């Protein structure tokens, strides 16, 4: 009986299922067709049914197929480079459609402003954007390299050509008198990543021990970077926005988007696989030609003759017969002229449906150096993201995580300077058996440094979550939070085998040295937000209120080991005979804030934006822990006015302006407290404490007031766009060392002085599409910036030691040098201006000439050309500047150091216009002192302007069918050509004498399945 009921029930449900299936089949039909553009098949078009999660994509032949199950269905055709089309079905089974090339004008661009997004058309602040397309066509390890020359008002300098190093980025100039007080705030997917990790042992190989925090972000993972510049854009970041904000947005899985094509649906919708790999070779940029052996030896002999020395000293091995005088080696080529190679591989899997999208990716990069040993930089990046939107669109969730690991292994000291100073007839680096050649103890072999190393391992885990829920109509509650953990471990190994075995340091491992430092940083950020949006008639109101809670904890310590039984133990400092353990430091930073924004628009023409923030920071004294920052921005879209609205020549016109204040707490922790160091001396076998810093309860914020006005224009349906901006930033309450009487026991106390630094300037951006439509397209844009920096006021400057550095009315990058006045024809010696008239040249009294070390203007010219399946893009970067030249580090000509060919232009009675005084062997004290003056005079500062072919890409889209959705092969180049009159290895540098940026050639392939 029981089985009968089961049988009857089974028959009943079977009949019901059949009936439903027949009915469903009757209501379902297949729509197919071809999507074209300009009469040619268009691949990568996403076709979906409005209100459904059904989605497909056209293949390489432009065809598609999709199942629909309702009458009057609306099909959506989307492509990122073409205008969206909608088609309402009636009884069609075949729908062929043509898409028009999208004219993506200023009104369609969406910008990330940090706490909110805004249409470019409607923004009241200054926000610059670099897209994934611009980043992807350059063979770079750090996204900041991709932004060089592309953004008005943002001057980026790569510190050196060493992989894993740093960048000097100035957003509208330097605001602070402190060297480390001008770094911008870096935010990745809403999470501040902090500043640079403090490296203790890399200063001899990485300029300023700089390791940029964005090294940990794979450029292939980045969707865009936005740079916030003015008060309207940055004041919502309060005390962290004075130097600008760099927002990094990583790629996400896009709902409804797929790379797998029609028919490859799964439980998560369509899946797509993207893979890319490239191989690159790099070499040093060289703008300096050194003497050959013949010219060098003639210089040396003349130097001794000028000094009245007829018998060459025993240590003048280059000319006294000890070394081969017929030998020649190009040491620049030998030491830093090797080819560095790099390999990059990236793979990502993405998928999703209309409500959920995900993306996982992995990237690997490794790069060797231009040195002749196997030093290498490696980076691995793992990322994942998932986003979801509820069916009623009220709930949104996005979670992203990324893990990165960088391992860098280079020599412990940059040998670029040795490459230029090594005499051309110096002995070979190696003996026939491969061992180091010390040439009978006459040769200080630079290859010994290859036996030393500096290495670091940098790990970072970064995760963030964003949740948004629509509480009521137009009311949105949002919560964002993130974690950032970073571990930095560095080592410097200096074994005895890097020295001459006959020297004290090189005799045994008892003189070997090992240095190790480790630090970790953990930070969290929590930001609840509530927003309300209202649209009524011509009025649009958007209100945002939120809070920030941030905490950072850091731990740092280092050890030094000296003397080992064997170099096999050199990495184990515990095995050292002498062990030095430095202070083990723990720091804590707490930050809290309330912020808000009110944006009002009327009739789509008049826009008012007000932002404010109240910040509290643990870095300041009890009297000044809290401060208020805010800004107001306004815009008038005059092209929407009746008298201009129908003008065909004007597509868009906007006037905007902003005014507000931001601050800076980028000053380190515990700066206002009394602090003590452990004394090296013992009293009754007890270590004492030394006071190291004085208490200052009024220790406060540096504040920057920003003012900007701008005009934005679009012509001829936005085929031509022009933006002109003027700005003025004034930074006050400068944190500097305030001089104290010696009776206090301290030379100074860090305090806020009423010194004011002003940055002002003009920025112009012009973009256009000279040729559009058809098989050939050409896009071009140019930007140029004219920055101006000056010290407006500095009370008490004249009576302080800062008077040797700064001058009222001059840029803070200016330097005081000796005024070079040529060569005295009576003596053949350098002459310098005697400012105080006492008959002698001394510092600082006669070091009064002011040279502006800095940029006058800079910019870039970018072009993109497309013809059928080919694309060509190139960027020229140009900089007008003055900087230190090679005279600043040049030893006195005539000593046992190689010299540039320019030194052949020596003064003599027969050559009274010569640039250098007669050679000297270094034994003449007067000439030695004069040369020191010369190295720090106006002769050592000159024009360092350049025009550089910064980037070039030639790509070809291979026609494919079937599984492959797109295949692109490309050639890329970086720093390919440099046009300059600069006297030195390369005009782009932060610290002269380090390895300059490299010239790179790369080939690769990108595949989408």
């Amino acid at each position: 009986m029981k089985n009968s009921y089961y049988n009857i029930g089974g028959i009943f449900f079977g009949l019901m299922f059949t009936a439903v299936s027949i009915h469903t089949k009757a209501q379902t039909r297949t729509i197919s067709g071809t999507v074209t553009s300009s009469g040619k098949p268009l691949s990568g078009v996403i076709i979906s049914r409005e209100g459904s999660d059904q989605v497909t994509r056209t293949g390489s032949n432009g065809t598609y197929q999709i199942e629909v199950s309702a009458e009057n269905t609306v099909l959506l055709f989307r492509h990122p480079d073409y205008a969206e089309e909608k088609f309402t079905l009636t009884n069609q089974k075949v729908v062929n459609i043509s898409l028009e090339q999208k004219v993506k004008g200023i009104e369609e661009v969406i910008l990330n402003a940090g706490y909110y997004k805004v249409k470019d058309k409607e923004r009241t602040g200054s926000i610059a954007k670099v897209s994934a397309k611009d980043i992807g066509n350059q063979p770079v390890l750090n996204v900041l390299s991709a932004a060089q020359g592309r953004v008005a008002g943002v001057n980026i300098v790569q510190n050196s050509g060493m992989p894993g190093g740093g960048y000097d980025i100035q957003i509208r100039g330097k605001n602070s008198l402190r060297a480390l007080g001008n770094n911008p705030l870096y935010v990745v997917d809403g999470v501040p990543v902090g500043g640079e990790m403090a490296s203790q042992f890399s200063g001899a190989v990485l300029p300023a021990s700089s390791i940029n925090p964005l090294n940990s972000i794979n450029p292939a993972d980045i969707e865009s970077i936005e740079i916030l510049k003015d008060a309207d854009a940055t004041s919502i970041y309060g005390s962290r926005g004075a130097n600008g904000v760099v927002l990094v947005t990583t790629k996400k899985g896009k709902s409804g988007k797929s790379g797998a094509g029609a028919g490859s649906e799964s439980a998560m919708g369509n899946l797509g696989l993207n893979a890319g790999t490239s191989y690159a070779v790099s070499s040093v940029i060289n703008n300096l030609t050194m003497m050959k052996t013949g010219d060098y030896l003639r210089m040396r002999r003349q130097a001794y003759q000028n000094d009245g020395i007829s018998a060459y000293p025993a240590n003048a091995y280059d000319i006294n017969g000890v070394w081969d005088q017929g030998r020649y080696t190009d040491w620049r080529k030998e030491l830093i002229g090797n080819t560095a190679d790099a390999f990059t591989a990236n793979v990502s899997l993405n998928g999703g449906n209309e409500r959920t999208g995900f993306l996982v990716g992995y990237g690997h990069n490794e790069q060797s150096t231009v040195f002749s040993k196997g030093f290498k930089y490696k980076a691995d990046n793992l990322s994942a993201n998932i986003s979801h939107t509820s069916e009623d669109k009220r709930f949104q969730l996005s979670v992203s995580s990324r893990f990165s690991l960088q391992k860098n292994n280079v020599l412990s000291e940059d040998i670029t300077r040795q490459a230029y100073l090594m005499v051309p007839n110096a002995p070979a680096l190696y003996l026939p058996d491969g061992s180091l050649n010390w040439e009978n103890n006459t040769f200080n072999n630079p290859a010994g440094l290859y036996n030393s190393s500096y290495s670091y391992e940098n790990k970072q885990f970064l995760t963030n979550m964003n949740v948004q829920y629509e509480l009521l109509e137009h009311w949105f509650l949002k919560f964002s939070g993130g974690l950032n953990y970073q571990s930095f471990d560095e080592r410097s190994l200096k074994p005895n085998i890097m020295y001459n075995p006959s020297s004290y340091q090189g005799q045994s491992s008892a003189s070997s040295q090992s240095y190790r430092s480790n630090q970790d940083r953990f930070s969290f950020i929590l930001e609840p937000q509530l927003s309300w949006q209202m649209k009524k008639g011509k009025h649009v109101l958007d209100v945002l209120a939120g809070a920030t809670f941030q905490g950072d904890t850091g731990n740092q310590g280092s050890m030094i080991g000296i003397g080992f039984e064997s170099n096999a133990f050199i990495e184990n400092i515990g095995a050292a005979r002498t062990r030095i353990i430095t202070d083990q430091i723990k720091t804590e930073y707490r930050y809290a804030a309330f912020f808000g924004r009110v944006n009002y628009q009327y009739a789509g023409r008049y826009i008012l934006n007000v932002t404010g923030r109240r910040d509290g920071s643990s870095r300041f004294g009890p009297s000044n822990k809290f401060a208020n920052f805010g800004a107001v921005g306004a815009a008038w879209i005059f092209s929407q006015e009746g008298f201009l609205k129908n003008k065909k020549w004007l597509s868009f016109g906007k006037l905007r302006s902003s005014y507000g204040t931001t601050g800076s707490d980028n000053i380190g922790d515990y700066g206002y407290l009394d602090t003590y160091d452990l004394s090296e001396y013992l009293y009754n076998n007890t270590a004492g404490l030394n006071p190291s810093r004085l208490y200052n309860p009024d220790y406060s914020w540096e504040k920057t007031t920003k003012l900007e006005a701008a005009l934005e224009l679009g012509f001829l349906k936005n085929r031509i766009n022009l933006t002109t901006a003027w700005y003025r930033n004034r930074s006050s309450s400068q944190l500097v060392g305030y001089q104290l009487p010696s009776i206090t026991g301290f030379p100074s106390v860090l305090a806020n002085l009423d010194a004011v630094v002003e940055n002002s300037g003009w920025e112009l951006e012009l973009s256009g599409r000279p040729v559009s439509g058809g098989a050939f397209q050409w896009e071009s844009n140019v930007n140029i910036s004219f920055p101006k920096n000056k010290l407006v006021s500095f009370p008490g400057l004249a009576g302080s030691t800062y008077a040797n550095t700064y001058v009222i009315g001059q840029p803070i990058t200016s330097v005081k040098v000796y005024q070079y006045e040529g060569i005295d024809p009576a003596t053949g010696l350098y002459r310098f201006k005697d400012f105080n008239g006492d008959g002698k040249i001394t510092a600082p009294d006669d070091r009064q000439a002011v040279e502006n070390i800095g940029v006058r203007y800079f910019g870039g010219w970018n072009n993109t050309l497309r013809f059928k399946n080919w694309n060509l893009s190139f960027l020229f970067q140009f900089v007008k500047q003055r900087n230190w030249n090679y005279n600043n580090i040049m030893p006195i000509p005539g000593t046992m150091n190689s010299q540039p060919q320019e030194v052949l232009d020596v003064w003599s009675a027969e050559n009274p216009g010569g640039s250098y005084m007669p050679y000297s062997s270094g034994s003449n004290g007067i000439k030695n002192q004069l040369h020191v003056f010369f190295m720090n005079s106006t002769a050592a500062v000159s024009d360092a302007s350049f025009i550089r072919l910064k980037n070039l890409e030639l790509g070809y889209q291979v026609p494919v069918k079937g599984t492959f959705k797109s295949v692109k092969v490309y050639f890329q180049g970086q720093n390919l050509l440099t046009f300059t009159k600069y006297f030195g290895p390369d005009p782009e540098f932060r610290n002269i004498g380090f390895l300059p940026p490299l010239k790179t050639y790369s080939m690769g392939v990108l595949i989408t399945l």
Side-chain angles (χ1 to χ4, degrees), residues 16 116 223 308 499 568 585 599 632 672 829:
M16 287 292 294
Y116 56 93
E223 183 69 28
Y499 302 106
I585 301 172
N599 182 270
V632 58
Y672 70 94
L829 302 179

Side-chain angles (χ1 to χ4, degrees), residues 152-175:
V154 181
N155 188 30
I156 302 173
V157 177
Q158 185 176 350
N159 286 348
S160 79
M162 200 74 70
Y167 291 78
D168 181 34
I169 173 171
Q170 295 177 28
I171 301 176
R172 290 184 169 176
K174 290 187 174 183
N175 296 310

Side-chain angles (χ1 to χ4, degrees), residues 936-959:
N936 295 278
S937 72
T938 53
V941 179
S942 62
D943 184 74
S945 306
F946 65 92
I947 299 174
R948 174 167 285 167
L949 179 55
K950 192 67 181 178
N951 170 252
L952 175 103
E953 181 191 56
L954 177 64
Y956 178 70
Q957 201 75 34
V958 180

Side-chain angles (χ1 to χ4, degrees), residues 11 30 76 80 83 87 89 123 185 260 316 355 374 394 457 489 517 527 623 662 674 687 759 768 859 986 996:
I11 293 170
T30 301
L76 302 177
F87 188 91
L89 292 170
R123 66 182 170 93
L185 172 68
R355 295 193 299 272
R394 296 181 65 182
E457 183 175 283
D489 191 344
S517 170
E527 293 187 312
S623 304
T662 58
D674 279 320
N759 287 283
D986 186 73

Side-chain angles (χ1 to χ4, degrees), residues 700-898:
S700 183
W701 316 74
E702 291 184 338
K703 293 185 179 181
T704 300
T705 301
K706 300 182 178 183
L707 174 65
E708 182 190 49
L711 172 66
E712 300 176 10
L713 298 171
F715 303 98
L716 305 176
K717 295 183 179 180
N718 290 319
R719 289 190 62 176
I720 301 174
N721 294 280
L722 172 67
T723 299
T724 303
W726 171 86
Y727 66 90
R728 189 197 68 192
N729 302 339
R730 284 198 165 190
S731 302
S732 59
S733 298
Q734 296 285 334
L735 278 168
V736 294
Y738 182 77
Q739 282 184 296
L740 295 175
S742 59
I743 193 174
T744 64
F746 291 86
S748 64
V749 60
L750 197 60
N752 298 88
L753 296 187
D754 193 21
V756 177
V757 176
E758 179 181 284
N759 287 283
S760 61
W762 288 88
E763 298 170 3
L764 288 89
E765 297 175 277
L766 177 64
S767 63
R769 289 173 289 107
V771 182
S772 62
F776 177 70
Q777 300 173 34
W778 175 22
E779 299 176 5
S780 182
N781 59 76
V782 63
N783 71 83
I784 186 169
S785 305
F786 299 89
K788 187 177 180 180
N789 174 280
K790 68 178 179 180
L791 181 63
V792 177
S793 65
F794 194 135
L797 176 64
S800 70
T801 56
Y802 293 107
N804 298 326
T805 306
Y806 301 117
V807 179
I808 301 295
Q810 293 292 331
I812 62 174
T813 56
S814 295
V815 293
K816 284 190 171 183
V817 295
Y818 301 102
Q819 180 67 53
Y820 177 64
E821 295 186 336
I823 296 176
D824 187 342
T827 62
L829 302 179
Y830 293 139
R831 289 188 306 187
F832 303 93
K833 185 174 181 179
D834 183 7
F835 279 92
N836 62 1
D838 64 354
K840 56 184 179 180
I841 303 300
T842 57
D845 294 339
D846 295 315
R847 198 169 178 169
Q848 296 297 318
V850 178
E851 281 283 1
N852 179 8
I853 302 292
V855 174
R856 305 302 191 272
Y857 62 82
F858 64 94
W861 179 40
N862 185 49
N863 289 269
T864 301
L865 298 93
R866 300 183 185 90
F867 179 71
K868 295 183 178 179
N869 289 5
W870 292 89
N871 75 277
L872 173 67
S873 64
F874 58 89
L875 168 69
F876 279 98
Q877 176 194 14
F878 54 87
V879 179
K880 175 67 174 178
Q881 64 180 356
R882 287 179 68 79
N883 213 331
W884 295 107
N885 59 38
Y886 194 74
N887 287 336
N888 179 246
I889 60 172
M890 178 194 295
I892 183 170
T895 56
M896 195 172 170
N897 295 283
S898 187

